Amino acid sequence: ELKVEQNPLFLSMQEGKNYTIYCNYSTTSDRLYWYRQDPGKSLESLFVLLSNGAVKQEGRLMASLDTKARLSTLHITAAVHDLSATYFCAVTSFIQGAQKLVFGQGTRLTINP
Amino acid sequence: DGGITQSPKYLFRKEGQNVTLSCEQNLNHDAMYWYRQDPGQGLRLIYYSQIVNDFQKGDIAEGYSVSREKKESFPLTVTSAQKNPTAFYLCASSMTGGNRYTFGSGTRLTVV
């Protein structure tokens, strides 16, 4: 059974600092997703990583995927308050021809001025 | 524009009552999913469907039921057997074998 674990679960940081959120998963998969969720809202898609070594960047966020280590990272550069949210990673699991998305627990990121 | 519509946005359920959450998509996606999110928690899969008239249980299906009579629609019924239904419910869809998932805006269910 596929399990997805994120760390840290809570992260409080100051504006201007850099930090990394880690996402480990337990079985082979080549599709990893990062989402952002604001309080009371739905999920906003940030990145889709589809191959080993994939790296994608959008603004101050950069995501990477190492399928051999079963690890993805979401790196935040020079954080700003607007990036405060909960970030989820998710991995596609295939069972008997059916695919489903399995989520990590989420990382609640608070960026203080 | 295509997308997923969930309704209602807020729903209140009395003890012992069944309620149905609506999820409709016009993206021509084959697969649809229901997730439950508790406060401060991740998303857990309730049910999913890859094609019309077929669906599978997810990790927390007890106390829930679904139907998939049309490709566009995947309603979720929260039955009286679900003892703790207060949560945020998200519906999603994707193409079979696709690598993009679209999420609805969610329904917040509260037991009163």
Side-chain angles (χ1 to χ4, degrees):
Chain A
E1 180 186 347
L2 174 61
K3 293 192 183 298
V4 182
E5 294 189 351
Q6 290 180 233
N7 73 83
L9 300 183
F10 299 92
L11 180 54
S12 181
M13 53 194 292
Q14 288 185 317
E15 280 190 328
K17 300 291 187 182
N18 303 335
Y19 212 83
T20 301
I21 299 170
Y22 297 89
C23 175
N24 290 92
Y25 53 100
S26 61
T27 63
T28 302
S29 179
D30 59 359
R31 302 182 190 188
L32 189 134
Y33 304 79
W34 284 97
Y35 293 93
R36 168 181 172 148
Q37 186 180 39
D38 292 299
K41 302 295 185 181
S42 184
L43 300 181
E44 174 189 352
S45 178
L46 295 175
F47 300 109
V48 181
L49 302 170
L50 300 177
S51 61
N52 186 42
V55 177
K56 291 195 174 181
Q57 182 166 4
E58 181 72 34
R60 301 176 187 273
L61 301 178
M62 183 173 70
S64 66
L65 177 62
D66 181 344
T67 58
K68 294 180 181 179
R70 298 177 188 162
L71 171 68
S72 179
T73 61
L74 180 66
H75 187 73
I76 303 151
T77 301
V80 293
H81 179 68
D82 286 352
L83 290 178
S84 295
T86 299
Y87 292 85
F88 291 95
C89 66
V91 179
T92 296
S93 170
F94 290 92
I95 299 177
Q96 297 178 336
Q99 72 177 53
K100 58 180 183 177
L101 204 53
V102 180
F103 284 83
Q105 314 96 305
T107 297
R108 186 176 298 178
L109 175 63
T110 303
I111 299 170
N112 304 304
Chain B
D1 287 340
I4 293 185
T5 301
Q6 288 188 241
S7 62
K9 188 172 182 178
Y10 299 96
L11 185 58
F12 298 91
R13 191 194 93 165
K14 295 181 180 179
E15 294 283 350
Q17 190 178 44
N18 292 355
V19 291
T20 297
L21 284 59
S22 171
C23 178
E24 304 274 337
Q25 53 98 1
N26 60 5
L27 299 164
N28 200 33
H29 283 174
D30 302 303
M32 297 186 74
Y33 311 82
W34 274 106
Y35 288 90
R36 169 179 171 145
Q37 185 178 30
D38 293 285
Q41 303 292 316
L43 281 72
R44 293 182 291 169
L45 184 64
I46 305 172
Y47 269 98
Y48 58 109
S49 168
Q50 302 289 301
I51 57 173
V52 174
N53 292 323
D54 188 39
F55 47 83
Q56 291 77 38
K57 293 182 178 180
D59 301 318
I60 55 166
E62 185 175 351
Y64 300 97
S65 66
V66 293
S67 63
R68 186 85 188 275
E69 297 177 0
K70 298 187 299 181
K71 186 175 185 178
E72 303 79 20
S73 178
F74 192 40
L76 174 73
T77 297
V78 184
T79 74
S80 56
Q82 173 49 243
K83 298 305 179 187
N84 185 22
T86 295
F88 187 53
Y89 291 85
L90 280 168
C91 179
S93 70
S94 72
M95 290 298 294
T96 299
N99 53 34
R100 297 280 175 180
Y101 293 81
T102 302
F103 284 83
S105 57
T107 293
R108 189 166 302 277
L109 174 63
T110 304
V111 174
V112 295

